[in-house]
Each structure stands twice: as structure tokens, then as C-alpha cells.
Amino acid sequence: MAKDLLSIVIPSYNEQGNIEHTAEVVSKIMKDNRIPYELVFVNDGSKDETWDILTSLTRTDPNVVAVNFSRNFGKEAAIFAGLRTARGDAVVLMDCDLQHPPEVIVEMYNIWKYNDVDVVEGRKKDRGRESKVYKAFSLWFYKLINSSSGLDMSGASDFKLLDRSVVDSLNDMPERLTFFRAMSSWVGYKTEKVYFEVAERAAGESKWSVSSLIKYAVSSITSFTSAPLHIVTFCGVVTFLITLILGAHTLVNKILGNSAQGFSTVIILQLLMSSIIMFSLGIIGYYLSKIYEEIKKRPRFIIRNVVRNGREQNGEKDD
Ligand code: UDP
Ligand code: MG
């Protein structure tokens, strides 16, 4: 069986200024290189004209499939809905704003097609024009992920080509709280890397605010690793050692009859202990809330409708 159909999954949230241009640029590159392809746009509950532009695009371009969410579920959900809908022998994930250069897709495709490779991973050469704070933050973030999971995630991006077998493995993963970048490494398979420069956003604005990035980071870490829980244990051990030393010291003083007058030690200890306990409880609580969310078994997304060739179809369910 020839393996050649390529699905390009493009999560789109308020991208009215980008959709048509992106579809055009990507289509041209695919056609020029004679790659059979489909474009799977996932409209993540956009509040602008994105969906209208997409439906009219499906009427004129048979290669376009448009998936419509019932509301904004976030990029992760959009990626996983795209993976469900894609029919290709390989699937590429890319952003709608052309920050992932579409020429690289051809490179990824050829590596996949002519080699025994299941995943072709796009790695950022440099992090584009991101602020210093953001760079430092993401460096720290990936260090934590790297050391806690044993996966090398520095420079990782969502720009990836996945073989059908990998897509099926990801579709089989039951968890509700996903972290695509890490999960697509976690499944393993034979991986090749290509490097790309992050381009400037074509039109519109980035959808990330500082608070949404922090939320994303915390949720990614806790959904992927339990390292923070081990930090709690480590803190416990350290404070226990300190307590032993301080306790011995106090006891010796007491025996020698020069027991301290001040309550300062007591107060400091109290403060220290209660802050550590509260901090630990917070982390445990966070994981509890994650377990709670997983256990509810809510779908990761709800698809209102899917349009192919201008006609509506039933959407894939997230089971
Ligand atoms: N996106 C999405 N849902 C969201 C936020 C973003 O599907 O809730 C899409 C967005 O349309 C784009 C991609 O995710 O195709 C990356 O978003 P953005 O460019 O805002 O992120 P950045 O490049 O700044 O990291
Ligand atoms: Mg972007």
C-alpha cells in the first residue's frame, strides 16, 4: 500500500486574517511538490469570521476539511480533534499564522516517506522574537520537564509530522488533560529532527497572555509529571533534618540550664512548618483536582459540525 496522503492539521482561533492566505500558501507548496494532501482546519470557537471563511473555503477547495468546536476548548483540544479527523497516512500539525514555515513540511514529508521514520519533529532554531522573560521562563519550564520525564524537550514545538501508527497511538490515549508536545515524544517510535526558524506571525495577535501561559505551564507540568509531589517529600526530609538539629540544640540548652528566653525560635519554626505544610497541601490539592477532572471523563472537546466539500458531515466523537 502506498503511503502518501498527508493531513495538515491547523488549529485556528480568531484567525480570520490568516485562513485563506495560509490555505493558499500551503496548498501551493503541496501541489508544486506533488504531495497528496488534505487541510484539516479546527475552528476552536472563534469569535470572528473564521468559521464563515472556512465553510466557504470547503466549497471551493475539496482538499479542505473544517471542524467546528461548540466553544473555545484550547489549542491542545484542537490538535487532538484534528488527529481524530485526519485521514492521512501521515499528519502534520502546524499553526495558522505561518510561524511554522510550510516549506519545512516538504522536508518532513520526504524524510518520512523515504526513510523508516515515524515522527519528524520540528525544533526551533531560535525562539523567534520572544521577550527575554519568556525565553528564560520557557528554558526553566523545559528543564523541569526534561529532568522529571527524561525526554529532551528543549526547542520542542507542536510542529511535527506523525505517522498513522503514532496518530493511532495518540488517539488511543485516554487521558483528558493532554500535553501534546510531551505525549508525542512519550509514545516513542523512530524520530528524526528538522530545524526551523520561527517566522513572524502573519496576521492578527498571539492568543497567549501571561496568565494563560502560566496556567498552561502549570497544567502541562502537572498533567505530565508528578515531580512537584516529590519536591514535597524532599522538603519534608530537609525540614526534618533541620528540626533534628534545632531540637538537639534546644534540648542541650535546656539540660545545661540556659534555655532560651525568647519565643523567636518557636515562632520561626511555627511559621516555617506551617508554610511548608500549606505549600505541600496546595500541591496535593492541585493533583487531586487533576484526578477529579480526569475521573469525570468529560470529552476533551465537542464538535458542532464538520464540513467537507461544502457539505456537513457528522463529527468524530471524543470518546
Ligand atoms: N489556537 C487555538 N486555540 C486557542 C489559542 C490558539 O487553536 O485557544 C491556535 C492559533 O489559532 C494558532 C496556534 O494555536 O494557530 C498558535 O497560537 P498563537 O499564534 O496565538 O501562539 P504563539 O505562536 O504566540 O505561541
Ligand atoms: Mg503564533
Side-chain angles (χ1 to χ4, degrees):
M1 219 170 63
K3 58 170 199 180
D4 45 15
L5 178 65
L6 179 65
S7 298
I8 300 167
V9 170
I10 311 176
S12 315
Y13 176 54
N14 295 344
E15 298 282 7
Q16 56 180 11
N18 285 321
I19 300 280
E20 280 166 318
H21 181 63
T22 301
E24 203 175 299
V25 172
V26 176
S27 300
K28 183 165 181 333
I29 291 173
M30 293 303 120
K31 283 176 185 152
D32 287 351
N33 290 281
R34 296 168 183 278
I35 298 176
Y37 71 100
E38 63 169 0
L39 296 178
V40 182
F41 282 97
V42 182
N43 173 37
D44 185 13
S46 299
K47 291 175 184 69
D48 61 1
E49 301 298 306
T50 301
W51 180 244
D52 296 333
I53 296 171
L54 278 176
T55 39
S56 61
L57 200 61
T58 60
R59 273 182 227 117
T60 51
D61 189 343
N63 294 317
V64 173
V65 184
V67 178
N68 197 18
F69 276 2
S70 59
R71 65 167 170 87
N72 179 260
F73 281 95
K75 187 183 176 188
E76 285 285 317
I79 289 174
F80 280 88
L83 291 180
R84 278 284 156 82
T85 313
R87 294 169 170 182
D89 303 302
V91 180
V92 164
L93 278 303
M94 77 176 283
D95 284 0
C96 195
D97 51 12
L98 293 180
Q99 283 193 297
H100 297 152
E103 314 81 57
V104 177
I105 297 176
V106 180
E107 201 183 321
M108 290 175 160
Y109 182 81
N110 287 332
I111 293 176
W112 166 75
K113 185 154 185 195
Y114 300 110
N115 298 283
D116 182 28
V117 167
D118 307 302
V119 180
V120 188
E121 203 181 82
R123 292 222 162 203
K124 295 176 189 169
K125 236 186 237 165
D126 67 316
R127 303 196 57 99
R129 249 208 258 151
E130 287 164 353
S131 72
K132 280 222 173 68
V133 178
Y134 186 92
K135 274 183 200 166
F137 182 72
S138 70
L139 194 76
W140 172 83
F141 172 67
Y142 283 120
K143 265 213 180 118
L144 186 65
I145 295 266
N146 290 353
S147 61
S148 60
S149 66
L151 305 168
D152 179 17
M153 298 277 301
S154 48
S157 70
D158 293 335
F159 190 29
K160 283 189 183 188
L161 180 145
L162 308 174
D163 184 77
R164 172 53 45 194
S165 50
V166 184
V167 174
D168 289 342
S169 301
L170 285 173
N171 284 342
D172 281 345
M173 287 167 92
E175 63 222 68
R176 307 289 99 188
L177 303 154
T178 57
F179 180 32
F180 173 72
R181 250 167 246 197
M183 283 165 72
S184 54
S185 302
W186 182 89
V187 288
Y189 291 96
K190 212 158 170 285
T191 304
E192 196 70 55
K193 288 174 194 142
V194 294
Y195 289 85
F196 70 97
E197 306 251 2
V198 182
E200 288 290 305
R201 185 171 235 289
E205 279 174 359
S206 173
K207 312 296 181 300
W208 294 100
S209 61
V210 173
S211 75
S212 70
L213 270 175
I214 292 175
K215 264 191 219 149
Y216 177 70
V218 172
S219 142
S220 302
I221 290 173
T222 52
S223 64
F224 199 72
T225 133
S226 51
L229 281 177
H230 305 312
I231 297 173
V232 174
T233 321
F234 180 73
C235 285
V237 173
V238 171
T239 44
F240 181 67
L241 288 178
I242 295 172
T243 313
L244 277 186
I245 296 164
L246 273 180
H249 181 249
T250 320
L251 217 66
V252 169
N253 272 345
K254 177 103 184 150
I255 292 163
L256 295 180
N258 44 9
S259 74
Q261 299 263 315
F263 285 101
S264 44
T265 333
V266 180
I267 291 169
I268 290 169
L269 268 180
Q270 279 249 345
L271 284 176
L272 185 73
M273 291 317 291
S274 44
S275 61
I276 288 171
I277 288 170
M278 274 192 270
F279 180 67
S280 315
L281 281 178
I283 294 179
I284 293 167
Y286 200 84
Y287 275 91
L288 266 184
S289 75
K290 292 274 154 184
I291 294 170
Y292 173 63
E293 274 171 58
E294 289 283 0
I295 225 160
K296 279 194 288 195
K297 292 252 179 286
R298 289 238 175 104
R300 282 174 289 197
F301 49 81
I302 298 168
I303 295 176
R304 248 187 93 212
N305 44 353
V306 179
V307 182
R308 252 182 238 264
N309 299 318
R311 280 193 303 277
E312 233 175 80
Q313 298 188 324
N314 286 332
E316 295 283 323
K317 279 235 175 65
D318 179 45
D319 44 30

